[in-house]
Amino acid sequence: MAKPQEPISTVRKHDCAKCPLRPLPIFRAFEQQELAFVTRFKKGELAVDKGATVLVEGSHSAHLYTVLSGWGFRFKLMPDGRRQILNYVMPGDLIGLQGSLMGEMQHSVESLSPMLLCVFERDQLEELYRNHPGLAYDITWLAAREEQMLDENLLSVGRRSALERAAYLMAFIGSRAQAVGLIGRRSLEVPITQQHVADTLGLSLVHTNKTIRKLSNRKLIAWHDGGCTILDMEGLMVLARWEGLGQRVRPLV
Amino acid sequence: MAKPQEPISTVRKHDCAKCPLRPLPIFRAFEQQELAFVTRFKKGELAVDKGATVLVEGSHSAHLYTVLSGWGFRFKLMPDGRRQILNYVMPGDLIGLQGSLMGEMQHSVESLSPMLLCVFERDQLEELYRNHPGLAYDITWLAAREEQMLDENLLSVGRRSALERAAYLMAFIGSRAQAVGLIGRRSLEVPITQQHVADTLGLSLVHTNKTIRKLSNRKLIAWHDGGCTILDMEGLMVLARWEGLGQRVRPLV
DNA sequence: CGGATCGTTGAGAATTTTCAAGATTAGTGG
DNA sequence: CCACTAATCTTGAAAATTCTCAACGATCCG
């Protein structure tokens, strides 16, 4: 596991009206009035390095974030150090909602690359719900989407073989990343280590290594130090017996 | 797997003002005005038998439900029949939200006992968000809680040994059931088969049987045909290395 | 150079699955 | 009442998967 570093905050603030994410076809268009509120809701930006702990289990964060750029992951630890990665976070994802609503964070979030996060204040959530039902609905929508992804991940860890699981994970990450333009058409590059894969799939590092090798041999992915490239999304999905996410237009808060 | 039966609907309608659930200490008190809306929001009740399919993957349900009484579970199937149980549903739980928000159900729900469900209409969700921000907030809260439980389940399936996993599951179900008065102080009776346990833990039926035997031998649970009794919640939690759910007061919609 | 991270490999050990069979119980139709 | 079926739980043993242990190679960086 990478040694977590401290977040580094910056003052620079992207204008929500010129949000680089919102024009993507995957995100629904916003009303002028919604945009205005979000602009006001946004308190600033947080820039973190690769390997930084963005949110930590057990803490009471006063903030929630929307990922503007970069990769990260959500995870839980057991007292004896076993780690389970729950999901990956990518641009457009809202993180810290659980902590904001229910008080204490029940999981941590760490970055896989430098990340830029839009910072919102928990205390303004109430106002959002009171005055902007459309945005409130969007937040619930995003929570339901996270739940749906967790359902898929749980099915995978519980019922797929090691090889299927690894194929599913690569296809899952790849298709999500593609939808938000994180990876180009020809450079499906994912910045994770085999330890991350192991902790996501619920497998040992050694067995993960051997499983990844099989995917490489089949030319479905290519692994290089500190990351991998997805070569054949279609093939991965077939191997995993996975239908793919319904990638419908979604809100961006 | 039990053969799913058809739901049976009834006309009888509990008065929300006399809701048998709301007085429980685990649920937060409602404003008079919230209660009034919920009463209007509630379209009726659905009574289903044990083994009924309440919601089915792939369908577009126009309803969502709050469980008034009984047990059930959420699950996903793979094309070849492998089944993963994602979570259990108990009184006070809201089901069908994913389907209502995102269109198509991505999982199914089946009953483990006769159940009584309060029926709400998807179309009125919008009005709820527009006019009752407190309730909207509650719904998001419930979605976040579901996500939190899924996180725990995923950690368990991914990183706990078979014995720990089984212990966790029993403690998890037991503590949730206790919180909503589903099981009395001395009769911690859970109506599930070993096949359900296997499909929850991601284990084979045979190995699940042997694992459950170990829990029985340690006097942590007692298994009888078609269900089990939890004997030692504390012991189960220690064995699973599980801290328990933060059982805070929660909303009931 | 020395330390740290990351990936790779072989081999034995442990866990878990699969296969096959049987016991018990409850319900059903004759 | 009885024969029969279906569901559930049990058990043993072989097979397959996965884990642990123990190395080692490569790269990067101060």
Side-chain angles (χ1 to χ4, degrees), chain A residues 131-205:
Chain A
N131 298 331
H132 298 273
L135 292 175
Y137 192 88
D138 285 347
I139 288 179
T140 311
W141 198 99
L142 289 172
R145 173 170 167 272
E146 178 70 20
E147 183 190 319
Q148 189 182 309
M149 289 191 285
L150 284 171
D151 286 351
E152 291 270 16
N153 292 349
L154 188 48
L155 168 65
S156 198
V157 174
R159 284 304 181 208
R160 273 188 250 255
S161 70
L163 189 62
E164 290 172 334
R165 249 183 264 186
Y168 160 77
L169 177 62
M170 293 304 149
F172 173 74
I173 292 183
S175 63
R176 284 188 59 196
Q178 234 169 3
V180 295
L182 248 186
I183 48 190
R185 189 159 313 273
R186 272 283 76 101
S187 65
L188 303 160
E189 180 73 24
V190 183
I192 56 179
T193 68
Q194 297 192 352
Q195 183 69 64
H196 291 121
V197 176
D199 288 347
T200 308
L201 303 184
L203 298 172
S204 72
L205 180 57

Side-chain angles (χ1 to χ4, degrees), chain A residues 74 76 78-80 82-84 86 97-98 101-102 106-107 129-130 133 136-137 139-141 143-148 150-155 157-161 164 198-199 202-203 240-241 243 248, chain B residues 74 76 78-80 82-84 86 97-98 101-102 106-107 129-130 133 136-137 139-141 143-148 150-155 157-161 164 198-199 202-203 240-241 243 248:
Chain A
R74 290 199 312 119
K76 282 177 80 79
M78 288 182 64
D80 60 6
R82 280 177 280 183
R83 179 175 75 169
Q84 177 65 39
L86 306 163
L97 182 64
Q98 257 188 57
L101 289 178
M102 320 187 55
Q106 300 290 324
H107 61 261
Y129 271 76
R130 208 162 348 95
Y137 192 88
I139 288 179
T140 311
W141 198 99
R145 173 170 167 272
E146 178 70 20
E147 183 190 319
Q148 189 182 309
L150 284 171
D151 286 351
E152 291 270 16
N153 292 349
L154 188 48
L155 168 65
V157 174
R159 284 304 181 208
R160 273 188 250 255
S161 70
E164 290 172 334
D199 288 347
L203 298 172
R241 291 192 182 71
E243 312 284 340
R248 54 188 76 239
Chain B
R74 290 198 312 119
K76 280 177 81 78
M78 288 181 65
D80 60 6
R82 281 177 279 183
R83 179 174 77 169
Q84 178 65 39
L86 306 163
L97 182 63
Q98 259 188 56
L101 289 177
M102 318 186 58
Q106 299 290 323
H107 61 260
Y129 271 75
R130 208 161 350 93
Y137 192 88
I139 288 179
T140 310
W141 199 99
R145 172 169 168 273
E146 178 69 21
E147 184 190 320
Q148 189 182 308
L150 284 171
D151 286 351
E152 291 270 17
N153 292 350
L154 188 48
L155 169 65
V157 174
R159 283 306 181 208
R160 273 188 250 255
S161 70
E164 290 172 335
D199 287 347
L203 297 172
R241 291 192 182 73
E243 312 283 340
R248 54 188 77 239

Side-chain angles (χ1 to χ4, degrees), chain B residues 53-68:
Chain B
T53 300
V54 178
L55 288 167
V56 49
E57 193 169 346
S59 71
H60 296 251
S61 170
H63 300 108
L64 54 168
Y65 307 92
T66 288
V67 178
L68 200 54

Side-chain angles (χ1 to χ4, degrees), chain A residues 50 189-194 222-229:
Chain A
K50 172 176 170 170
E189 180 73 24
V190 183
I192 56 179
T193 68
Q194 297 192 352
W223 201 275
H224 17 108
D225 223 77
C228 83
T229 300

Side-chain angles (χ1 to χ4, degrees), chain B residues 110-148:
Chain B
E110 188 178 315
S111 58
L112 286 166
S113 71
M115 293 181 86
L116 219 48
L117 303 155
C118 301
V119 182
F120 305 111
E121 266 177 39
R122 179 230 298 260
D123 292 344
Q124 282 193 275
L125 258 187
E126 200 188 318
E127 184 193 341
L128 186 154
Y129 271 75
R130 208 161 350 93
N131 298 331
H132 299 272
L135 292 176
Y137 192 88
D138 285 347
I139 288 179
T140 310
W141 199 99
L142 289 173
R145 172 169 168 273
E146 178 69 21
E147 184 190 320
Q148 189 182 308

